[in-house]
């Protein structure tokens, strides 16, 4: 078998690796992220992220792009991969979280890419900004949380505002990405306004800039005062839920809402409260709650009144009550 | 200076390291996570996670705990750290996301811990399940997302239901943690019911079990059919937003809602649409939206009608309209 035939049989395969490098310090990068950059012929990224991995780039083609050239980065990556190159497209944090994975697939599909088309795609996960910032401030993400970008470059404001309102109401811990830039200064003020409709003014807020990087800065403040804090392009804003507290310089969200366990002997032991069992659903968990609801309804309680009391939609309670009694 | 004096001056310091090991394969662990385990005298964790780092444990005290013994794990860690040991408490994913960081701080505060009390605390961030699962299925987290645990062991069902309802309405991509267990089988059915009130039946859903581990399994389904899928304790359920699509076996959420760019020449270039500028806020971004709102209001539009059209609270629109006209 001669060389040209072999080339025909196994056409040179290119690869695009979407690499999340974590917060930016080398020690918080995964082994796979390092290996992916090492394997690459070409490394493409926003100029700041390229600097963060400067010591891994010897002998590689390096393409530095500005912040807004996301689609161009993906197009260049596809171009090189079609030539049989291995390309690492780097994102800070996780490549999937507001990162390059989405725009890259958009460009690939636009160009008619399929998994068999000779360009392999690998996404290398990493710790996103919310994970890194949380680690530095304590344990704010112990309960349900969400991430909202305040950038209105691609998302209409009513969509963003609706989300802020919904999660403020439903008591999520919230990480705000892209909270403020030179041009976008009022978004954070509007976010605060929407939150203050549902949350206490003294709700803990932590603002982390450049987590695990040289100019790292951590500020603790409150919902009421957060707009006075130093917030910029490299900041992530963490807003606690109604149970989040700050103590000894740590922002902590408790695991649940139930205070299921009470401590005995000065923290040396924890016992489940009366009526609750360790490792089992709460008495107000789904099945217990359903039983109570059915009983109240059978006793003549009004569904609209029950819905209001539980702060849930009337039609959801109707649907639940129409389902046969649980066999818990 | 003699030995006892030196001991008094620098009392032996213990340390608790809360280590997120990522999805579970060694290559997706960060350098700092590996180093923290290497530094530790004692490694404590849920038995499954201990197995995932088995090759790093030679010569260490290893304490294996069951799933429900979270507080016990933290108490044992504090106990060893008070004896001057370095303790690694390991969590899969990120130690802060439904992980050991929260319960550990709860136990520390209960015991009167302060940063000066001779026990240092370090949290080592890692890729959480949502990052790892997203990387395996495509790019579902390119836009705003949230994490909700369906476990009602510590959270009353109405709190969980309210959150499901809020984020289904506000069109978040959602990662469901702890979706189902042997005992908890109806929570996922109720989650589906709440979502179907707001989202299309064919909304893409991906279910990932044991991401990056030996028995990894990826299923694509839809909101309507997700309860028929194989879902267990080691599964994460990813529900797309209204724009998420599946193509060529990849689940992708577009970056924005605006279709700001249109492609030209078969994906070789992207141009901003008429009325929009690359790198600038959308015409429906905050300032553009505010200008339009003020104009409509000045022309006599009813605030309640405007609120309904924009699906935002009336009092928010009133507050915004009361603020002086933006100078955009």
């Amino acid at each position: 078998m001669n060389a040209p035939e072999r080339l025909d049989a196994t056409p040179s395969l290119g690869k695009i690796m979407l690499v999340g490098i974590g917060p930016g310090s080398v020690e918080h990068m995964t082994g796979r992220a390092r290996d992916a950059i090492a394997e690459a012929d070409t490394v493409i990224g926003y100029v700041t992220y390229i600097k963060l991995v400067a010591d891994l780039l010897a002998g590689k083609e390096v393409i530095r792009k500005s912040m807004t050239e996301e689609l161009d980065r993906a197009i260049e990556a596809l171009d090189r991969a079609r030539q049989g190159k291995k390309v690492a497209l780097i994102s800070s944090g996780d490549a999937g979280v507001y990162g390059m994975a989405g725009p890259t697939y958009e460009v690939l599909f636009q160009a008619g890419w399929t998994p068999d088309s000779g360009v392999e795609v690998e996404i290398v996960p990493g710790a996103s900004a919310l994970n890194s910032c949380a680690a530095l401030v304590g344990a704010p993400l112990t309960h349900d949380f969400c991430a909202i970008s305040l950038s209105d470059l691609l998302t209409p404001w009513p969509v963003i505002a609706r989300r802020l309102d919904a999660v403020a109401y439903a008591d999520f811990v919230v990480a705000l990405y892209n909270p403020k830039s030179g041009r976008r200064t009022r978004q954070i003020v509007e976010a605060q306004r929407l939150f203050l409709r549902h949350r206490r003014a003294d709700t803990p807020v932590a603002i982390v800039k450049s987590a695990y990087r040289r100019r790292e800065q951590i500020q603790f403040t409150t919902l009421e005062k957060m707009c006075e804090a130093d917030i910029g392009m490299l900041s992530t804003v963490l807003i606690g839920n109604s149970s989040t507290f700050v103590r000894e310089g740590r922002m902590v969200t408790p695991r649940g809402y139930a205070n299921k366990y009470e401590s005995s002997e000065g923290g040396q032991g924890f016992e489940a409260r009366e009526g609750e069992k360790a490792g089992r659903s709460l008495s107000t968990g789904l099945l217990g709650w359903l039983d109570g609801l059915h009983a109240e309804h059978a006793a003549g309680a009004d569904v609209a009144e029950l819905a209001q009391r539980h702060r849930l939609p009337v039609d959801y309670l109707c649907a639940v009550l129409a389902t046969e009694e649980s066999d818990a």
Side-chain angles (χ1 to χ4, degrees), chain A residues 247-282:
Chain A
R247 187 165 156 183
E248 301 294 345
R250 303 295 196 277
M251 179 177 180
V252 176
T253 302
R255 292 175 302 161
Y257 282 74
N259 298 317
K260 182 172 182 173
Y261 297 94
E262 34 199 356
S263 64
S264 57
E265 298 170 49
Q268 293 309 298
F270 286 81
E271 301 288 336
R273 278 187 200 279
E274 208 176 316
E276 307 294 351
K277 283 185 195 164
R280 294 294 182 98
S281 294
L282 286 178

Side-chain angles (χ1 to χ4, degrees), chain A residues 99-122:
Chain A
M100 282 302 298
T104 300
Y105 273 117
E106 287 185 60
V107 165
L108 286 168
F109 289 141
Q110 191 68 43
W113 174 87
T114 71
D116 308 319
S117 63
V119 172
E120 194 187 338
V121 179
E122 177 188 354

Side-chain angles (χ1 to χ4, degrees), chain A residues 138-185:
Chain A
L141 304 179
T142 311
H143 215 284
D144 303 334
F145 62 90
C146 64
I148 300 179
S149 168
L150 293 192
S151 167
D152 57 4
L153 270 62
L154 292 170
T155 307
W157 181 254
V159 174
I160 300 171
R162 211 174 291 141
R163 287 184 178 157
L164 292 164
D165 180 55
V167 301
Y169 170 74
D171 205 29
F172 282 83
V173 178
V174 178
L176 299 179
Y177 281 66
N178 307 309
K180 199 173 177 179
S181 72
R183 283 207 191 89
R184 291 184 305 97
T185 57

